Amino acid sequence: MRLIVLALCLLPHSLQAQTPAPAIPRFADESATAGLTGFYAGEWQYMVGGGVAVFDCNADGFEDMLIAGGENPAMFYRNVSQQGGPLQFRQETAGLEADAVTGAYPLDIDADGLTDLALLRVGENRLMRGLGNCRFAPANADWGFDGGDDWSTAFAATWEKGASWPTLAFGSYIDRTQEAFPWGSCTPNQLYRGGDGRFAAPLALTPGHCALSMLFTDWNRSGQPALRVSNDREYYKGGQEQLWQLDPGAAPVLMTEADGWKRLRLWGMGIASHDVTGDGYPDYYLTSMADNKLQTLESTTAPVRPGYADTAFARGVTAHRPYTGGDLRPSTGWHAQFGDVNNDGLFDLFVAKGNVANMPDFALLDPNNLLLQQADGTFQEVGEAAGVDSMAIARGGQLADFNMDGLLDIVVVNRWQTAQLWRNISEDAGGFAAFRLQQPGPNRDAIGAWVSVRRGDTVTRHEVTVGGGHVSGQLGWVHFGLGTSTAAEVRVEWPGGRVDDWQPLLADTFQILAPGQAPVAFIAP
């Protein structure tokens, strides 16, 4: 009883009010019929990783995907679904079929309007230039990119102020040459700054603590993103979570307790970001082994300092052990992502779960979590009721509207088992609006922008990023649920400081947003 009272005391008064339960979404498992056959294979060097990249490489609005294979070649799938219909993918040769791929992230590196890809590998990382119509070619030599020879397990990208090319961060795991005693052998992460069509030699981010997720994020709304790194304490010695401050042209600086940073140690595996509290600042969900965190700034009073409080228990997102299946040992969380799966205007949380292999102290039957945000700010577990409570050994994943029906679907990459795909078939979901950001010059997809949707007095904000999750990236539609609203307004805070006026939008539409222009409807072919 004391624990229950404590949990209620931790909640703000507004979160304690009794509110109606959210509509539970319904998902149909279309793994066997959608055409996906890829899975993540391999032993020790592939115990982590196993991601999926989601992107539109032929400009038809439908998002295609690349599934990391580990010891298998990576597999590309073109989306051939019909709008509103069952999910259908066709495997094709795209030039991305490399071996030893742990994960992938899409972004337009050279600002030519074609999506490129960063392939994370056990060995040399590769940048792949988009050629159009879902074809890609290696670009390391042309772009002066030194792919190294690490065991890469994390990635993030941003455009620093005044930069013509992106800044890329690659996170590495342990020194794989020290199999007999790997603990404490975490290798440094690498930061690449680009310009004039090429990347400079990498800067080592030392110390490295075995990164499994990275995210460039404007944590204090200064307009200059910092690099957040989540690290796996299974292999580091004396390490912790990290936040690197980046100033253009200067060496990265690791923030410490003197800056307000609070020491945090966990089996860090994935990062998901969203303004859960509505205070205008991003919150961060960190997956781990039985110790998932939801970090919220303790104070937003200027000057904002990077001190975070853990609100996972108060909001009901600890997700620390299985909720079904009978295995009560601690859970192992990997990819995490916020998204509004029932379109009620509140971003929900998906977490892919799975034992590392056969670790006896952790659950072997470990279902994925689908946590619905409720009107009072707490979350309700509905994975079993929604039909996504798979017991496969999950790793990476994505929430994406693959058939452009306004409902977010789910793809999950599994270790040693075929990837799974669930179509959202909810009949009682609310309205939606989905946006693609386009701006001239470098950073065409406006990475680092903030998109806000206003419905009456309610404002929902989301930061556009490349990174986070667990070795799984997405470059596509930014999805908002609208609930019962038939109309709403949208505003974009663009990288560089431009803030557009609020623009009216219509419900149930896909729209292209550009600086200073009214939304333009996108019609799927």
Side-chain angles (χ1 to χ4, degrees):
M1 179 63 71
R2 293 177 61 190
L3 290 177
I4 296 174
V5 172
L6 176 60
L8 290 174
C9 290
L10 289 172
L11 288 171
H13 178 73
S14 61
L15 300 188
Q16 298 180 30
Q18 297 296 316
T19 55
I24 297 177
R26 307 296 181 195
F27 288 85
D29 187 347
E30 297 189 348
S31 308
T33 58
L36 301 186
T37 58
F39 64 94
Y40 189 65
E43 296 303 322
W44 184 69
Q45 292 185 125
Y46 301 101
M47 61 182 176
V48 297
V52 54
V54 171
F55 51 96
D56 177 9
C57 52
N58 58 354
D60 65 354
F62 291 86
E63 294 179 308
D64 312 291
M65 72 172 77
L66 179 76
I67 293 178
E71 290 184 349
N72 292 332
M75 301 181 73
F76 170 75
Y77 294 92
R78 187 191 292 263
N79 191 341
V80 293
S81 307
Q82 296 296 311
Q83 189 165 17
L87 305 183
Q88 295 289 321
F89 288 83
R90 182 175 65 228
Q91 184 184 353
E92 294 183 358
T93 299
L96 300 171
E97 294 73 25
D99 62 357
V101 174
T102 58
Y105 288 81
L107 71 162
D108 186 355
I109 293 173
D110 55 358
D112 64 353
L114 300 173
T115 299
D116 311 305
L117 279 173
L119 299 184
L120 283 62
R121 300 179 68 245
V122 178
E124 182 189 32
N125 296 315
R126 296 179 186 173
L127 300 182
M128 307 296 296
R129 177 195 284 120
L131 304 178
N133 196 27
C134 300
R135 297 294 182 266
F136 298 83
N140 284 19
D142 292 343
W143 291 345
F145 175 75
D146 177 3
D149 190 32
D150 290 330
W151 178 354
S152 294
T153 48
F155 178 84
T158 190
W159 272 256
E160 297 183 69
K161 287 183 178 179
S164 60
W165 268 50
T167 294
L168 311 180
F170 285 82
S172 64
Y173 206 49
I174 61 178
D175 184 345
R176 64 189 192 279
T177 67
Q178 300 188 37
E179 294 186 22
F181 191 76
W183 292 273
S185 67
C186 300
T187 50
N189 303 320
Q190 305 292 332
L191 186 80
Y192 299 79
R193 281 177 163 140
D196 297 325
R198 297 179 66 82
F199 288 95
L203 299 173
L205 298 178
T206 303
H209 295 319
C210 290
L212 288 178
S213 189
M214 311 174 100
L215 184 68
F216 282 110
T217 174
D218 190 3
W219 65 273
N220 60 353
R221 301 305 302 271
S222 66
Q224 179 61 35
L227 179 64
R228 183 154 193 153
V229 185
S230 196
N231 299 304
D232 182 5
R233 69 182 298 175
E234 180 74 14
Y235 287 101
Y236 63 64
K237 288 184 177 180
Q240 59 171 306
E241 300 293 282
Q242 295 171 309
L243 184 67
W244 293 86
Q245 189 66 37
L246 271 70
D247 292 317
V253 176
L254 183 61
M255 305 197 81
T256 68
E257 285 85 350
D259 303 304
W261 179 253
K262 285 189 173 183
R263 181 179 177 86
L264 177 63
R265 303 182 70 190
L266 68 159
W267 290 270
M269 299 188 178
I271 303 173
S273 67
H274 177 64
D275 178 13
V276 177
T277 62
D279 63 0
Y281 293 82
D283 306 292
Y284 304 99
Y285 189 77
L286 310 177
T287 58
S288 183
M289 302 172 78
D291 196 19
N292 304 302
K293 306 291 188 184
L294 179 59
Q295 293 212 298
T296 299
L297 277 171
E298 291 181 321
S299 173
T300 58
T301 301
V304 180
R305 290 163 62 85
Y308 286 86
D310 178 28
T311 61
F313 182 68
R315 291 185 179 271
V317 290
T318 57
H320 57 282
R321 70 179 186 183
Y323 54 87
T324 188
D327 194 332
L328 299 181
R329 288 172 291 183
S331 280
T332 304
W334 297 92
H335 180 82
Q337 188 174 346
F338 287 101
D340 190 350
V341 295
N342 58 359
N343 286 347
D344 63 354
L346 299 170
F347 274 53
D348 312 301
L349 177 63
F350 176 77
V351 183
K353 292 281 189 70
N355 197 293
V356 175
N358 291 296
M359 296 184 73
D361 293 335
F362 293 86
L364 296 179
L365 299 176
D366 202 0
N368 303 321
N369 296 102
L370 185 59
L371 294 146
L372 293 188
Q373 187 177 176
Q374 303 177 101
D376 63 0
T378 62
F379 288 74
Q380 172 191 356
E381 176 62 65
V382 299
E384 184 175 18
V388 297
D389 55 329
S390 169
M391 300 293 179
I393 303 173
R395 288 295 188 265
Q398 284 293 311
L399 303 177
D401 182 1
F402 288 115
N403 61 352
M404 296 189 70
D405 64 351
L407 298 171
L408 291 176
D409 311 302
I410 303 174
V411 61
V412 171
V413 176
N414 296 313
R415 191 179 185 194
W416 300 313
Q417 294 176 259
T418 304
Q420 291 174 287
L421 186 62
W422 289 275
R423 178 164 64 101
N424 193 330
I425 57 171
S426 303
E427 296 181 351
D428 54 355
F432 80 97
F435 307 102
R436 286 292 304 267
L437 275 57
Q438 294 181 354
Q439 64 177 10
N443 191 11
R444 290 175 60 91
D445 296 295
I447 305 306
W450 280 81
V451 182
S452 300
V453 169
R454 184 167 67 184
R455 299 174 296 122
D457 296 330
T458 300
V459 178
T460 305
R461 307 173 185 86
H462 192 72
E463 185 181 18
V464 179
T465 60
V466 171
H470 180 64
V471 292
S472 299
Q474 182 175 151
L475 186 66
W477 298 105
V478 182
H479 179 100
F480 286 80
L482 299 179
T484 57
S485 300
T486 57
E489 296 174 295
V490 61
R491 184 181 68 182
V492 179
E493 299 169 66
W494 298 91
R498 178 190 174 97
V499 180
D500 280 347
D501 295 331
W502 288 99
Q503 299 270 9
L505 62 90
L506 295 177
D508 303 330
T509 56
F510 294 84
Q511 299 169 62
I512 307 298
L513 303 180
Q517 299 182 25
V520 176
F522 177 90
I523 307 299

